Tab-separated table of all heavy atoms in Angstrom:
chain	number	residue	atom	x	y	z
G	269	PHE	N	-29.147	12.530	31.303
G	269	PHE	CA	-29.887	13.737	31.654
G	269	PHE	C	-29.486	14.925	30.779
G	269	PHE	O	-28.396	14.953	30.187
G	269	PHE	CB	-29.647	14.113	33.121
G	269	PHE	CG	-30.142	13.073	34.100
G	269	PHE	CD1	-29.278	12.520	35.037
G	269	PHE	CD2	-31.461	12.639	34.074
G	269	PHE	CE1	-29.717	11.555	35.937
G	269	PHE	CE2	-31.931	11.674	34.965
G	269	PHE	CZ	-31.061	11.126	35.897
G	289	ILE	N	-28.379	32.997	21.725
G	289	ILE	CA	-27.748	33.702	20.591
G	289	ILE	C	-26.277	34.004	20.888
G	289	ILE	O	-25.397	33.703	20.074
G	289	ILE	CB	-28.506	35.025	20.279
G	289	ILE	CG1	-29.962	34.687	19.940
G	289	ILE	CG2	-27.845	35.804	19.139
G	289	ILE	CD1	-30.924	35.849	20.102
G	291	ILE	N	-23.973	32.731	22.962
G	291	ILE	CA	-23.018	31.603	22.888
G	291	ILE	C	-23.536	30.462	22.012
G	291	ILE	O	-22.795	29.525	21.711
G	291	ILE	CB	-22.604	31.073	24.298
G	291	ILE	CG1	-23.801	30.543	25.081
G	291	ILE	CG2	-21.859	32.135	25.085
G	291	ILE	CD1	-23.392	29.766	26.331
G	319	LYS	N	-21.371	-4.059	14.611
G	319	LYS	CA	-21.456	-4.052	13.143
G	319	LYS	C	-20.218	-4.662	12.465
G	319	LYS	O	-20.358	-5.381	11.468
G	319	LYS	CB	-21.660	-2.613	12.657
G	319	LYS	CG	-21.841	-2.482	11.167
G	319	LYS	CD	-22.286	-1.083	10.806
G	319	LYS	CE	-22.347	-0.921	9.284
G	319	LYS	NZ	-22.645	0.461	8.915
G	331	ALA	N	-9.026	9.022	23.925
G	331	ALA	CA	-8.636	10.414	24.159
G	331	ALA	C	-9.596	11.043	25.168
G	331	ALA	O	-10.813	10.929	25.013
G	331	ALA	CB	-8.679	11.195	22.853
G	387	VAL	N	-8.150	0.593	13.841
G	387	VAL	CA	-7.914	1.213	15.151
G	387	VAL	C	-9.225	1.811	15.636
G	387	VAL	O	-9.924	2.503	14.892
G	387	VAL	CB	-6.829	2.324	15.062
G	387	VAL	CG1	-6.630	2.974	16.420
G	387	VAL	CG2	-5.511	1.742	14.552
G	428	ALA	N	-2.035	16.230	4.088
G	428	ALA	CA	-1.591	17.561	4.513
G	428	ALA	C	-2.265	17.941	5.828
G	428	ALA	O	-3.468	17.744	6.006
G	428	ALA	CB	-1.941	18.582	3.435
G	475	GLY	N	-1.539	22.291	1.540
G	475	GLY	CA	-2.962	22.006	1.722
G	475	GLY	C	-3.842	22.660	0.674
G	475	GLY	O	-3.367	23.401	-0.194
G	480	GLN	N	-12.097	25.589	-1.726
G	480	GLN	CA	-12.378	24.202	-2.127
G	480	GLN	C	-13.285	23.456	-1.136
G	480	GLN	O	-13.884	22.458	-1.470
G	480	GLN	CB	-11.067	23.416	-2.261
G	480	GLN	CG	-10.197	23.899	-3.403
G	480	GLN	CD	-8.875	23.115	-3.470
G	480	GLN	OE1	-8.737	22.044	-2.931
G	480	GLN	NE2	-7.910	23.708	-4.130
G	560	TYR	N	-9.008	22.200	18.195
G	560	TYR	CA	-8.260	23.063	19.127
G	560	TYR	C	-8.334	22.479	20.529
G	560	TYR	O	-9.406	22.090	20.995
G	560	TYR	CB	-8.850	24.481	19.155
G	560	TYR	CG	-8.185	25.352	20.205
G	560	TYR	CD1	-6.903	25.863	19.996
G	560	TYR	CD2	-8.805	25.626	21.425
G	560	TYR	CE1	-6.270	26.638	20.958
G	560	TYR	CE2	-8.175	26.400	22.407
G	560	TYR	CZ	-6.902	26.899	22.159
G	560	TYR	OH	-6.266	27.661	23.124
G	588	GLU	N	-31.630	9.685	18.284
G	588	GLU	CA	-32.245	9.000	19.420
G	588	GLU	C	-31.431	9.220	20.719
G	588	GLU	O	-32.029	9.443	21.773
G	588	GLU	CB	-32.383	7.500	19.077
G	588	GLU	CG	-32.881	6.608	20.200
G	588	GLU	CD	-34.219	7.003	20.806
G	588	GLU	OE1	-34.980	7.740	20.152
G	588	GLU	OE2	-34.480	6.593	21.965
G	591	ALA	N	-32.442	12.573	21.849
G	591	ALA	CA	-33.855	12.714	22.230
G	591	ALA	C	-34.196	11.939	23.506
G	591	ALA	O	-35.094	12.320	24.235
G	591	ALA	CB	-34.743	12.233	21.078
G	615	ASP	N	-16.616	0.958	50.445
G	615	ASP	CA	-17.590	0.608	49.397
G	615	ASP	C	-18.519	1.794	49.179
G	615	ASP	O	-19.192	2.221	50.123
G	615	ASP	CB	-18.428	-0.607	49.838
G	615	ASP	CG	-17.590	-1.872	49.878
G	615	ASP	OD1	-16.529	-1.892	49.219
G	615	ASP	OD2	-17.984	-2.816	50.577
Side-chain angles (χ1 to χ4, degrees):
F269 297 125
I289 301 159
I291 61 169
K319 183 170 174 185
V387 178
Q480 293 178 19
Y560 175 75
E588 174 56 20
D615 291 339

